[in-house]
């Protein structure tokens, strides 16, 4: 819910799944592997680890709009999104796992879910306040960002993690690693904090800041302060 309105497909960035699951184990007395419990306690809000390996690599829960135009699924680009059938099969697998492999959902259900995800539209974009800054930001974006962030959702195919420079744990993950990170869609990016696959950067200003301590994705940090401000003004309109 945002301002009393349901925003379909928006990631629940304040939702703490790890704590919720730990509460469940505590209240029901159900068995949980202590190592898994320790890891779940570290996820925090808006992050979850959905891979089956023992790696420590929770990811930021992404918004679901724009999925139709993603060329790969998951932050590490684990699945090539060749068409709706690829997404439907993925839904089927997730439904199977959600029922502890007890129920194979009807194919129609997995297909319907994929069609629903395709139909989700983003909420309205923010209003432009400083048109001059936005225009300047748009041309800076074309110059410094569009080589990677392009097309209808300003995204792109996965790139080698070393080239992106962000924490490689997920890209190198044992179960589903590809060595790569998908170029994240920037549709409604102003409301998508925290940023990067691991949610390690709190704001757009921090992402473009020269003083950022978290490594990686240093694109744009070399720009002058007023150019970075213009870029942010533009990003806020996406
Ligand atoms: C060489 C390719 C490349 C360039 C150039 C590039 N990006 Fe990215 N961008 C990526 C990749 C890959 C990711 C995902 C990295 C990750 O999650 O570890 C990303 C993620 C982001 C995110 C995080 C989005 C989110 O929801 O988490 C933002 C914001 C962003 N880029 C903005 C920009 C801006 C602004 C520029 C230009 C100054 C830019 N990028 C230039 C490849 C690029």
């Amino acid at each position: 819910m945002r301002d009393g309105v349901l925003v379909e497909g928006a990631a629940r960035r304040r939702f703490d799944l790890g704590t919720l699951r730990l509460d469940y184990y505590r209240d029901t007395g159900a068995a949980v592997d202590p190592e898994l419990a320790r890891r779940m306690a570290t996820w925090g809000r808006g992050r979850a680890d959905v891979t089956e390996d023992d790696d420590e690599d929770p990811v930021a829960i992404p918004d679901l709009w724009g999925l139709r135009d993603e060329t790969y699924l998951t932050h590490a680009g684990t699945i090539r999104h060749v068409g709706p059938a690829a997404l439907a099969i993925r839904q089927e697998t997730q439904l199977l796992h959600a029922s502890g492999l007890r129920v194979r959902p009807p194919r129609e259900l997995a297909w319907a879910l994929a069609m629903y995800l395709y139909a989700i539209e983003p909420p309205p974009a923010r209003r432009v306040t400083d048109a001059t800054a936005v225009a300047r930001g748009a041309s800076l974006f074309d110059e410094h960002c569009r080589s990677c962030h392009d097309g209808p959702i300003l995204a792109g195919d996965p790139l080698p993690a070393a080239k992106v420079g962000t924490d490689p744990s997920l890209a190198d993950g044992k179960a589903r690693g590809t060595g790569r990170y998908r170029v994240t869609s920037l549709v409604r990016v102003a409301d998508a904090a925290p940023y990067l696959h691991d949610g390690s950067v709190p704001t757009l200003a921090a992402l473009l800041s020269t003083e950022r301590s978290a490594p990686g994705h240093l694109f744009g940090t070399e720009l002058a302060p007023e150019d970075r401000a213009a870029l942010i003004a533009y990003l806020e309109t996406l």
Side-chain angles (χ1 to χ4, degrees):
M1 303 292 286
R2 225 174 259 165
D3 303 326
V5 179
L6 178 69
V7 184
E8 283 178 88
R12 292 185 60 194
R13 298 194 170 81
R14 277 170 296 171
F15 177 51
D16 190 336
L17 179 65
T19 298
L20 182 77
R21 283 180 56 182
L22 289 172
D23 287 353
Y24 165 82
Y25 291 121
R26 188 199 56 212
D27 294 349
T28 60
V32 57
D33 170 43
E35 174 55 20
L36 179 63
R38 188 194 61 73
R39 280 194 278 133
M40 284 195 292
T42 68
W43 293 352
R45 291 172 188 271
R47 299 202 311 163
D49 188 346
V50 292
T51 50
E52 302 90 53
D53 56 25
D54 293 334
D55 296 340
E56 208 131 345
D57 48 13
V59 295
I61 303 172
D63 296 319
L64 291 180
W65 43 78
L67 195 60
R68 204 174 30 205
D69 294 307
E70 296 280 8
T71 51
Y72 285 78
L73 303 177
T74 84
H75 290 289
T78 330
I79 299 164
R80 191 147 140 67
H81 187 197
V82 284
L87 182 59
I89 291 167
R90 181 74 194 133
Q91 299 313 317
E92 188 179 46
T93 310
Q94 285 178 324
L95 289 167
L96 259 167
H97 277 283
S99 77
L101 303 179
R102 283 188 300 271
V103 182
R104 178 175 284 280
R107 288 261 152 94
E108 292 82 348
L109 206 62
W111 180 259
L113 194 49
M115 288 298 108
Y116 168 66
L117 294 174
Y118 272 27
I120 294 176
E121 294 291 341
R126 292 190 190 181
R127 275 208 200 104
V128 174
T129 44
D130 181 347
T132 317
V134 170
R136 169 105 191 100
S139 78
L140 286 162
F141 186 88
D142 287 347
E143 198 181 325
H144 298 276
C145 319
R146 201 174 281 279
S147 57
C148 291
H149 295 273
D150 202 9
I153 57 169
L154 301 172
D157 287 348
L159 297 172
K163 185 168 179 195
V164 188
T166 51
D167 185 326
S169 316
L170 180 74
D172 295 343
K174 285 196 276 298
R176 297 182 158 269
T178 57
R180 291 167 183 260
Y181 285 125
R182 186 172 72 171
V183 179
T184 320
S185 159
L186 299 182
V187 176
R188 307 298 179 267
V189 69
D191 294 315
Y195 298 108
L196 301 179
H197 70 273
D198 52 1
S200 56
V201 179
T203 60
L204 287 173
L207 187 70
L208 292 175
S209 159
T210 43
E211 284 117 55
R212 182 150 59 89
S213 56
H217 197 286
L218 297 176
F219 315 110
T221 56
E222 75 284 4
L223 297 173
E226 57 275 20
D227 283 346
R228 282 183 271 142
L231 199 49
I232 290 171
Y234 170 67
L235 291 173
E236 284 175 347
T237 68
L238 297 177

